[in-house]
Amino acid sequence: MRPISFVPLVACLSFNTTTLAQDEPKDLTQLLQSNKNLSEFTTLLTSYGDIYANLSFQSDVTILAPNNDAFNKIPYSSLGPAFEANQSQVVRSILQYHILPGLHPASRYNGSFSFDKTWLQNSTYTNVTGGQVVGGVQQAGNVNVYTSGLGTRSTLVTPDLRFMGGIVHVIDNFLIPPQNFIQSVPQFNLTAAGGAIENASLADYANSRQDLTFFVPQNAAFQALGETLQSMPSSQLQRILNYHIVNGSTVGYSANLPNGTILRTRSGQNLTITFASNSLFVNQARVLQQDLLLSNGVMHVIDNFLDPDAPSVTANPEIQTAPPLIKGTSLSENVVPFTSFLPTSVTSFDTMSATPTSSFGASDIGKGTSAFSRSTTSRKASSTSNSKEKSGGGRVELQETAMAMTSGLIGVLCWILGIL
């Protein structure tokens, strides 16, 4: 009998072990390093060592990672001043807002919005029980979109990159932590509502009270009653506005407002939610925009005023816009009431509460790329770095090709051995 050589058998075992090891999820560091379009995010994440270390020990976490193109957009977004001024704590809050506890694979999302908690829980930047949320929905063409503060939309471009602690989704825009009511309303052309809240001395409450839900009349609704609203006593205006604010134990995201929901308002009267003819209504008012996230809750834009003296009125889906329940006189065309009470600068991300530090800033973003490297010197450094990276990448590719060829030969050897 021919003696059996164990060398091929050992090789086969080695091959199988290597194959299994390659199938195992990478750790977070390996995953980030293997995705060159996340080099900027890697720089940002590793700059906050405590967050990075914490992520390394997680068992179920989802990271929404902005790609390099997203970093290039920062200077032109409301986040730009925070990065440029080295607002370390603000940038920390932005980073925390991109981390979700639990596993949220792309397949989990459908045509209905879901609102998932994030790691952003610092009361300086959010006042929502359990942490600030990010919205997620699947749109036409199976495109997943995430919504955040100021109506920001971030599209999922590379889903479900798995590592040992969870999932990384690559997105094309930064999420923006939601701002307070007064800072947010200009973004959605709700300047009359913002000015009215200021004029009625409700701004502190609207900006800081926990877990609020706002039903905000559009500017056209204020125009229709503008002269009457501006001339009424402050206490009466407060009563009407308070009927548009719900301070409940939970935030009234649309996912939490099924047909027939009854909500208790700050004025003491109830609101009734109706879903009919594929539209959402609150009392008689049609909801025009849903789920605009705020630092302390959410707001929904409605087409008309709600009347605290008519809390039992119901929706009529057959009417596109119901007539105003509150009787009054309109202002002349294009005149929006109360806007003069709105602060003049409320459109950028709030950085006043953070102290500038040198631990992290714009100069740290874009090392090796051009996200913030605007000078010639920086661009040269970027070019040099990228050349080295490409050279190193070529060697890695050659090594991987050689390994694949070797593995293939060993596989053939194992097959022959099996026949013998």
Side-chain angles (χ1 to χ4, degrees), residues 375-386:
S375 68
T376 303
T377 302
S378 296
R379 283 194 294 270
K380 287 181 179 179
S382 172
S383 176
T384 301
S385 176
N386 285 336

Side-chain angles (χ1 to χ4, degrees), residues 97-359:
Y97 189 49
H98 288 75
I99 304 170
L100 286 60
L103 296 178
H104 304 278
S107 60
R108 171 181 175 271
Y109 296 96
N110 54 39
S112 299
F113 264 96
S114 64
F115 296 91
D116 301 313
K117 300 292 185 181
T118 70
W119 277 18
L120 180 54
Q121 299 185 22
N122 187 329
S123 60
T124 301
Y125 306 102
T126 184
N127 197 14
V128 176
T129 299
Q132 188 54 266
V133 304
V134 60
V137 67
Q138 187 176 87
Q139 298 186 335
N142 295 326
V143 176
N144 284 17
V145 173
Y146 297 96
T147 59
S148 56
L150 303 180
T152 304
R153 293 164 56 88
S154 304
T155 301
L156 176 61
V157 292
T158 306
D160 301 323
L161 300 178
R162 295 188 177 272
F163 66 102
M164 287 189 292
I167 299 172
V168 172
H169 294 312
V170 182
I171 56 177
D172 67 346
N173 273 313
F174 265 82
L175 307 173
I176 296 181
Q179 302 298 283
N180 66 37
F181 181 84
I182 295 299
Q183 290 171 320
S184 298
V185 288
Q187 183 75 13
F188 306 104
N189 196 29
L190 301 173
T191 50
I197 289 288
E198 288 276 5
N199 184 49
S201 302
L202 294 174
D204 287 345
Y205 179 89
N207 287 338
S208 61
R209 187 62 180 259
Q210 188 176 46
D211 296 338
L212 294 185
T213 302
F214 297 85
F215 294 96
V216 184
Q218 62 178 331
N219 274 2
F222 276 89
Q223 286 176 299
L225 301 174
E227 187 173 331
T228 301
L229 294 172
Q230 286 186 330
S231 61
M232 68 175 47
S234 178
S235 59
Q236 187 177 354
L237 179 61
Q238 278 188 358
R239 180 170 177 265
I240 292 174
L241 295 176
N242 280 331
Y243 188 53
H244 294 73
I245 303 174
V246 176
N247 180 20
S249 57
T250 59
V251 177
Y253 307 111
S254 60
N256 299 335
L257 300 177
N259 187 43
T261 299
I262 304 296
L263 302 171
R264 189 77 166 174
T265 69
R266 191 176 185 233
S267 68
Q269 291 88 7
N270 290 340
L271 296 174
T272 301
I273 300 297
T274 304
F275 188 81
S277 299
N278 204 33
S279 294
L280 190 67
F281 297 84
V282 52
N283 287 5
Q284 91 293 349
R286 185 185 297 268
V287 177
L288 302 177
Q289 281 184 284
Q290 303 175 18
D291 301 313
L292 304 178
L293 302 179
L294 301 173
S295 60
N296 60 334
V298 70
M299 63 179 174
H300 309 285
V301 183
I302 56 177
D303 66 351
N304 224 322
F305 268 89
L306 307 171
D307 187 355
D309 294 322
S312 60
V313 66
T314 58
N316 183 355
E318 302 300 321
I319 302 176
Q320 184 62 34
T321 300
L325 293 177
I326 300 174
K327 304 303 179 183
T329 306
S330 64
L331 290 170
S332 60
E333 188 177 358
N334 297 326
V335 176
V336 180
F338 299 113
T339 55
S340 61
F341 295 97
L342 199 63
T344 56
S345 179
V346 292
T347 57
S348 63
F349 189 79
D350 182 16
T351 61
M352 293 187 297
S353 57
T355 303
T357 71
S358 59
S359 63

